[in-house]
Amino acid sequence: MEDTIVVTGGTGRIGRSVVPLLRAAGRNVRIVSRHEPAVAPDDQGITHVVADTVEDRGLVAALAGAETVLHLAGSQKGDDRAAANIARAAREAGTRHLILISVIGAGRMPIGYFRAKAESERQVAESGVPWSILAAAQLHEFLLPMVGGLARLPVTPAPTGLRFEPVHREEVAERLAEIALGTPAGRVPDLAGPEVLELGELVESYSGRHRPLLRIPVPGAVGRAYRAGANLADASAQRGRRTWSDFVGELAESAVTAGRAAARG
Ligand SMILES: NC(=O)c1ccc[n+]([C@@H]2O[C@H](COP(=O)([O-])OP(=O)(O)OC[C@H]3O[C@@H](n4cnc5c(N)ncnc54)[C@H](OP(=O)(O)O)[C@@H]3O)[C@@H](O)[C@H]2O)c1
């Protein structure tokens, strides 16, 4: 069991990129999520256990004997409860390294998702299990549906002060694999993308066309937090290399490849 790494959320966006890196490093992987993957992994080194981190179902079996647990499972609600359940299960399993992915600004943004991530960080840091925590910026893929939707409008609604520093999924996965293969490191530098961009810049770069902006003030504490850049990394952060326009180029390339494959039948 020593060489097996448990990856909660290993079927998700980030998880799907981390698992092959852990396999390439010679480690077996036990994926934990609520649903069996649509296609069973064609690799004997990968197993899957059904469990629910929020409802605390199946976690004893999921973490049994796990020396390293990479906790990626997450959703819009309940991440704090999930982290508390994972922290307890890891302690009971005798885990030697518990790794959490969090989000940049977790302790600063007055939004439920960020608050739950701050509480998750606390649960892991106080678990009694040696730990590492990496806070990452939003992935390019996370912003894509919003940017794609806005790109269809003649004018881009641009909440004042709203900025992002999107990071490439593979760069986050590489860093997480490096952490999981190493020793507990506590809080490691945040990982953000190489540029800080406003919504209008993201939409223009995605659509390749200039769009007039419709500035919309965001009222209240959330607006103040965004204007102050509370969701952004500080100077101590590590920066990825792959930009939003690199990502947009990758999307175009994969659309061409898919089109050619469809034409071949
Ligand atoms: N995407 C971003 O921009 C971003 C940025 C910073 C941090 N993060 C954090 O990184 C983590 C992974 O993000 P992602 O984008 O890869 O997420 P994702 O694509 O939505 O995948 C979520 C994964 O978690 C599993 N999961 C969800 N709820 C679960 C539960 N209650 N019990 C067990 N498994 C559960 C899902 O599988 P099932 O549905 O089968 O359970 C899936 O494998 C999350 O914690 C997220 O908050 C994401």
Side-chain angles (χ1 to χ4, degrees):
M1 185 63 221
E2 202 180 314
D3 64 342
T4 296
I5 297 181
V6 168
V7 182
T8 74
T11 55
R13 268 181 297 241
I14 296 175
R16 285 197 302 272
S17 293
V18 176
V19 169
L21 301 176
L22 300 176
R23 289 293 297 133
R27 308 299 290 269
N28 289 333
V29 174
R30 188 192 298 163
I31 294 174
V32 176
S33 70
R34 292 167 300 180
H35 310 94
E36 293 279 357
V39 181
D42 181 23
D43 176 348
Q44 302 232 320
I46 302 176
T47 52
H48 183 275
V49 173
V50 171
D52 191 320
T53 55
V54 176
E55 299 302 329
D56 195 11
R57 269 201 294 269
L59 293 183
V60 172
L63 267 62
E67 299 220 340
T68 303
V69 175
L70 176 54
H71 178 44
L72 306 178
S75 61
Q76 282 308 308
K77 264 190 139 176
D79 282 358
D80 44 354
R81 274 172 63 194
N85 292 333
I86 284 288
R88 195 200 56 253
R91 192 168 51 243
E92 289 169 0
T95 296
R96 295 192 190 167
H97 190 186
L98 173 58
I99 303 115
L100 173 76
I101 182 162
S102 184
V103 66
I104 293 174
R108 302 187 294 265
M109 289 299 295
I111 293 178
Y113 168 75
F114 287 82
R115 287 198 179 110
K117 285 297 192 202
E119 174 59 15
S120 304
E121 293 180 4
R122 193 183 69 77
Q123 292 289 347
V124 167
E126 295 178 4
S127 63
V129 179
W131 54 275
S132 305
I133 294 176
L134 171 70
Q138 275 75 34
L139 301 186
H140 296 128
E141 278 98 338
F142 182 83
L143 297 179
L144 182 61
M146 176 176 65
V147 172
L150 292 176
R152 286 197 281 274
L153 304 175
V155 171
T156 302
T160 316
L162 184 59
R163 288 160 290 162
F164 298 98
E165 45 193 0
V167 61
H168 202 284
R169 171 177 38 80
E170 287 171 9
E171 292 179 332
V172 174
E174 282 161 19
R175 183 70 181 114
L176 285 167
E178 183 183 33
I179 295 167
L181 294 167
T183 52
R187 192 171 185 100
V188 301
D190 294 352
L191 177 56
E195 325 157 285
V196 178
L197 297 168
E198 292 189 12
L199 207 45
E201 293 174 302
L202 290 162
V203 172
E204 276 196 18
S205 166
Y206 174 77
S207 63
R209 267 178 290 164
H210 176 71
R211 291 284 200 295
L213 294 181
L214 177 65
R215 294 275 178 204
I216 301 173
V218 185
V222 172
R224 280 196 297 280
Y226 275 120
R227 285 191 293 280
N231 63 319
L232 302 176
D234 64 21
S236 66
Q238 189 183 338
R239 298 269 165 191
R241 291 177 311 280
R242 293 162 79 172
T243 63
W244 171 253
S245 56
D246 291 339
F247 170 72
V248 171
E250 288 168 20
L251 285 179
E253 225 169 86
S254 50
V256 170
T257 310
R260 283 200 191 118
R264 277 199 302 272

